[in-house]
Amino acid sequence: MEATSTAKSRKLVTLDEYIIQAQNKFPGATGELSQLLRDIGLAAKIISREVNKAGITNLLGVDGSKNVHGESVKRLDLFADQQLISALDRSMITCMVISEENDGIVRLNSEGGKYIVYMDPLDGSSNIDVNVSIGSIFSIYMRQPRFDRKLVEDDALQPGIRQVAAGYVLYGSSTIMVYTTGLGVSSFTLDPSIGEFILSEDNFKIPKEGNIYSINEGSYNSWAEGLKKYIKYCQVEDEATNRPYTARYIGSMVADLHRTLIKGGIFIYPASTRYPNGKLRLMYECNPHSFIIEQAGGMAIDGKERIMEKKPTSIHERSPIYIGSPENVKKVKELLDQYENKESVKEA
Ligand code: FDP
């Protein structure tokens, strides 16, 4: 009896319906951004299907070439890149794509298209072979209104605060799409039996403080002093502040960020000797996640300044990142200011 009435009162909303309902709240909207988000949703379903059967269809493993960063390219990375680019090209709304898999900008057929899309088609790719969660990330900007000349890379160099939408798709125990257009954060779970993303959470909020810290501690020796002090702070026993915190590090940014969004705490990828500017990419890893986390009430900084206010100088640049619950980020910033913002990163 109970179950029947719950089922009746709970209307399932698909991603497409949700996007159209959201668009209807803006009478002047052209529907182009909605179309773009739906295109990404469609590509995500195709990628999800291939990720799930990658072992069987032999899409796993390295294809032999290196991407622009000298990293081995896995076949699934290439597949995801192609799917997303062709989905974006189809509706003639996007003029340019910047992808982790491509050195320069990719001009699409619609030169006059309104949007520029950054993406990491398959983030966490070193986890593909071991069946650990991976994801696709996207970040969308409006093209600046200068249609008088050919598009150049500079047109894409806009700070994160100019993003009009951003999101990720996590291919985990289920496939989840999370996005924001600046009006809160929504998440959708793919129901493979009907091939639809179904709304699972509207207006996501991150806990103000969390007791999980997430960082690759292998490079501890080369961190600056303030960060070392923060990690020690996380490990101290103190009942009143719920310490010691728990350490969790998956090694796929999307998966680590998704957990942080739900459970709170902090994810850090700092500068180190190996990666003096951090490892993660400002435009298609740090900015889109920062937009989502801020929209959920969290914070994201590079140790000194707000990630989304950083002025990019190149499309593939890297940035350190400290992102998560506001109280956790404020605490690490306090220690960074006290110690390493006054000194440079220590040698190992
Ligand atoms: P990957 O190299 O497997 O693609 O930026 C890429 C990324 O994964 C992130 O998803 C992840 O958070 C990070 O690198 C992991 O780096 P470490 O192995 O150095 O911890």
Side-chain angles (χ1 to χ4, degrees):
M1 224 20 217
E2 179 91 9
T4 315
S5 57
T6 312
K8 266 189 191 158
S9 60
R10 191 141 183 253
K11 184 178 174 299
L12 296 183
V13 179
T14 67
L15 174 67
D16 287 3
E17 284 170 340
Y18 183 87
I19 290 171
I20 289 164
Q21 281 166 17
Q23 180 197 317
N24 289 342
K25 291 183 193 150
F26 299 91
T30 60
E32 287 171 303
L33 181 60
S34 304
Q35 180 61 47
L36 206 167
L37 291 168
R38 295 208 303 269
D39 290 342
I40 292 173
L42 176 62
K45 284 187 216 171
I46 298 170
I47 298 167
S48 175
R49 188 192 61 201
E50 292 310 308
V51 167
N52 284 336
K53 60 179 190 185
I56 316 168
T57 54
N58 201 25
L59 277 168
L60 279 179
V62 178
D63 95 330
S65 61
K66 302 250 179 202
N67 71 10
V68 293
H69 318 294
E71 299 154 349
S72 298
V73 173
K74 311 267 175 170
R75 283 192 285 267
L76 260 180
D77 294 26
L78 291 179
F79 177 82
D81 192 52
Q82 285 155 7
Q83 286 304 320
L84 281 160
I85 290 180
S86 64
L88 293 170
D89 205 13
R90 206 168 26 223
S91 42
M92 308 289 282
I93 301 163
T94 307
C95 58
M96 189 200 292
V97 174
I98 295 100
S99 158
E100 193 196 19
E101 300 306 331
N102 298 286
D103 196 354
I105 60 173
V106 179
R107 290 190 187 84
L108 299 189
N109 286 318
S110 169
E111 268 271 1
K114 227 197 235 167
Y115 293 105
I116 295 173
V117 179
Y118 277 90
M119 63 184 199
D120 185 347
L122 218 53
D123 185 59
S125 46
S126 51
N127 278 323
I128 293 175
D129 294 346
V130 288
N131 228 346
V132 169
S133 300
I134 46 181
S136 303
I137 313 171
F138 59 92
S139 163
I140 303 171
Y141 292 82
M142 288 272 265
R143 177 188 179 176
Q144 297 304 293
R146 287 184 303 200
F147 296 92
D148 52 325
R149 53 159 177 73
K150 214 172 162 53
L151 284 165
V152 291
E153 198 170 297
D154 267 6
D155 292 311
L157 295 177
Q158 303 181 38
I161 41 170
R162 293 235 194 104
Q163 291 171 104
V164 292
Y168 59 79
V169 183
L170 174 66
Y171 312 105
S173 48
S174 57
T175 295
I176 289 178
M177 177 165 170
V178 176
Y179 81 88
T180 183
T181 55
L183 298 168
V185 179
S186 312
S187 90
F188 301 82
T189 305
L190 182 64
D191 180 340
S193 64
I194 54 170
E196 293 280 6
F197 278 106
I198 304 294
L199 179 66
S200 39
E201 191 85 40
D202 206 3
N203 207 12
F204 234 120
K205 289 291 169 216
I206 187 170
K208 279 200 162 31
E209 190 162 13
N211 68 343
I212 300 176
Y213 71 96
S214 186
I215 187 168
N216 182 343
E217 288 195 64
S219 47
Y220 180 89
N221 282 337
S222 72
W223 295 344
E225 209 47 40
L227 176 56
K228 287 181 177 171
K229 289 276 187 297
Y230 178 71
I231 297 303
K232 287 293 158 210
Y233 165 88
C234 295
Q235 294 167 348
V236 164
E237 290 193 17
D238 178 38
E239 225 177 297
T241 52
N242 208 7
R243 285 180 290 153
Y245 291 168
T246 297
R248 289 281 182 278
Y249 189 74
I250 298 166
S252 287
M253 190 189 191
V254 178
D256 279 314
L257 252 292
H258 190 64
R259 183 202 54 248
T260 307
L261 177 65
I262 294 170
K263 299 200 164 174
I266 191 163
F267 170 83
I268 302 172
Y269 207 111
S272 63
T273 310
R274 190 163 175 210
Y275 296 111
N277 299 314
K279 180 185 182 193
L280 303 177
R281 312 290 162 170
L282 175 64
M283 302 306 285
Y284 42 83
E285 292 183 304
C286 299
N287 272 333
H289 282 128
S290 299
F291 193 16
I292 287 169
I293 291 287
E294 284 198 12
Q295 281 294 311
M299 280 178 74
I301 59 169
D302 70 353
K304 295 189 177 91
E305 60 173 323
R306 184 181 170 204
I307 291 281
M308 290 213 291
E309 285 176 15
K310 282 171 81 95
K311 291 201 179 67
T313 53
S314 76
I315 53 177
H316 294 294
E317 79 183 69
R318 299 172 194 263
S319 170
I321 188 165
Y322 298 75
I323 183 169
S325 297
E327 293 308 320
N328 298 65
V329 177
K330 281 183 206 157
K331 181 68 190 173
V332 71
K333 173 83 166 68
E334 183 190 310
L335 291 168
L336 290 172
D337 285 344
Q338 214 175 316
Y339 295 89
E340 86 245 40
N341 284 346
K342 295 186 194 122
E343 50 175 299
S344 54
V345 176
K346 293 237 161 75
E347 290 299 307

